[in-house]
Amino acid sequence: MGWLIFVLLFWAGAWWLNTRLSTSSLASTRGVKLLVPAIFGVTILVVWEGLVRGLEVPSVILPAPTAIASKIGASGPVLWEDFVQTFVKGALSGYVIGCATAVLTAILIDRSSFLQRGLLPVSSFIAALPIIGTAPIMVMWFGFDWQSKAAVVVVMVFFPMLVNTVQGLASSEAMQRDLMQTYGASYWQTLFKLRLPAAMPFIFNGLKIATTLALIGAIVAEFFGSPIRGMGFRISTEVGRLGLDMVWAEITVAAIAGSAFYGIVALIEKAVTFWHPSQRVA
Amino acid sequence: MRSLLPILTVVAAIVAIWYAAAVWLNSQWTYDQAARAGVEIGFSEVVADAWVQERPVLPAPHQVAVELYDTVIDKSVTSKRSLVYHGWITVSATLLGFVFGTVLGILLAVGIVHNRAMDMSVMPWAIASQTIPILAIAPMIIVVLNSVGVQGLVPKAIISAYLSFFPVVVGMVAGLRSPDAMQLDLMRTYNASRAETFWKLRLPASMPYLFTSLKVGIAASLVGAIVGELPTGAVAGLGARLLSGSYYGQTVQIWAALFAAAAVAAGLVGVIGFLQRVTLRRMGMQS
């Protein structure tokens, strides 16, 4: 009972604090903008912990955040091994191969408007399909190890990336292309000095979408068969053994890896497309 | 219709490459069989055999088409071998979850737009959630709900709901904020209440954004429902067809299930696109 009352009080207090903070004159400062969601996040964790303890929820249904944290601390090597297997070997290599092939394909088909008109609708159609379903096929073709996961990731990131790059290559203005022509620039000079830089916002949009897809692809593909390591493998086997604290630990690692991956790509974008209006500091 | 010919060319090229790849990938098995039997075989026989194997590495398009015809049209829809039966199980979970996720997403977006504290607390998390692989929670939800006695449609629908929830929240918040200051000022000069501003300006203005995120949401819902069918051990649904196909090496069955899933996804997105066109045209937003 004590825990439940504590949870209610904590929730009310945090909510009051956030309301005050967000209506105060400091609301638009950077610190408060970070503080408010942080308070909200901590509140969720405290409420979760309090409810699990107060209602005595068994750990096979929902482990408390402290239990998950101690599990993360206790099984560092296993989590690291899974992370390397799934993220570095599976997701990252597939991401690099898939995105690079898509950009090259986009540059190749860019010269033919016939191919563009044919490939673009087909690619956007395929991009909307549940490509994750190719996972069992890839596992059959490339075996249980990370190669099959990388293959799933390649197929998943290829089409969104292709569509974005083709759009990006078409985004330079006619006036700008005319200017390059008056300079007597060759096709490749125009490509590298005008059209690729102009395409960067679109390419990075595709790269950012692909970060999430890559991680999802690598994890879900492991549900169809994997060696005895990897995040998806650990999640599916620990679920079977009702070791839910380990499952949550893996999910925490996956969440951190996913947002860090996205954050790094966003940082690179900031450095590359500093000229774009969306990056200007007001 | 100008692009019809290019599209058909590309599709034809894909089918041609597929047939060629089927020969290339399946020929190994044919050669092995021939070597074991001690007979020489010519290239034309290899090609003929590569397209009719029972468990090919890559089934030829017509094999998949035949399997699809068999399991969609020939089998009665109540049969456990009918893809319509499995597809319906997946679609019903998808739709149930999608409706819940969308309604909750819209409600949260309305709250975020009208409450500054909620906006500052929840919105960063809703955006961050787009970068993390939440699909990884799917097996846990299935097993945990199973252990408290909830099974069948509901656990899959919950996965579908939370996958469609976040895109809808983010899209709907952007949509409800899309009226510019001039329009909001005009509402103020009319002395419109907050509710009136919401119903007459913000909600109609948000429709294009809503439909765009609904398309993303329903595709995510379908993926969620399919992945949600994996941990229960291949009972029913398109995901189960994929899994049992991969257990027993039934490649034709996997490809047929994959195409069925693709058709379902295209159908669902198409329906939303149709609703979008009709709604926006009635509202005079798009010709």
Side-chain angles (χ1 to χ4, degrees), chain B residues 80-259:
Chain B
K80 287 219 163 176
R81 300 196 49 179
S82 163
L83 264 186
V84 179
Y85 166 81
H86 290 286
W88 170 244
I89 287 175
T90 306
V91 169
S92 52
T94 306
L95 288 180
L96 184 65
F98 174 69
V99 169
F100 266 105
T102 306
V103 170
L104 288 177
I106 292 175
L107 288 181
L108 183 65
V110 172
I112 284 176
V113 169
H114 287 102
N115 184 327
R116 183 126 180 82
M118 219 155 145
D119 175 24
M120 289 184 74
S121 328
V122 181
M123 203 51 196
W125 293 105
I127 293 172
S129 72
Q130 306 251 309
T131 68
I132 63 174
I134 25 181
L135 197 56
I137 315 181
M140 189 172 59
I141 290 186
I142 299 285
V143 172
V144 166
L145 287 181
N146 194 23
S147 73
V148 294
V150 184
Q151 12 177 281
L153 198 63
V154 178
K156 286 188 279 177
I158 290 175
I159 296 168
S160 290
Y162 75 65
L163 282 176
S164 58
F165 174 73
F166 292 108
V168 170
V169 171
V170 175
M172 197 62 188
V173 167
L176 290 174
R177 292 224 171 106
S178 65
D180 56 32
M182 192 91 87
Q183 293 167 321
L184 289 169
D185 278 351
L186 183 64
M187 292 309 276
R188 210 163 301 145
T189 60
Y190 290 159
N191 192 24
S193 67
R194 271 183 112 163
E196 280 170 327
T197 312
F198 175 77
W199 289 112
K200 301 200 165 148
L201 176 61
R202 285 189 188 274
L203 191 66
S206 71
M207 281 304 131
Y209 294 83
L210 175 66
F211 278 109
T212 308
S213 40
L214 285 186
K215 281 187 195 164
V216 176
I218 199 149
S221 283
L222 181 65
V223 172
I226 290 176
V227 172
E229 281 157 0
L230 301 179
T232 49
V235 182
L238 291 174
R241 293 295 282 180
L242 287 174
L243 193 63
S244 70
S246 92
Y247 278 166
Y248 302 114
Q250 297 286 355
T251 39
V252 183
Q253 181 190 321
I254 299 182
W255 281 92
L258 195 56
F259 270 77

Side-chain angles (χ1 to χ4, degrees), chain A residues 145-173:
Chain A
D145 211 350
W146 61 270
Q147 288 89 345
S148 58
K149 280 75 202 172
V152 175
V153 174
V154 168
V155 184
M156 279 185 84
V157 302
F158 181 83
F159 293 100
M161 200 61 214
L162 182 69
V163 173
N164 271 295
T165 313
V166 169
Q167 276 175 351
L169 285 175
S171 72
S172 60
E173 284 165 33

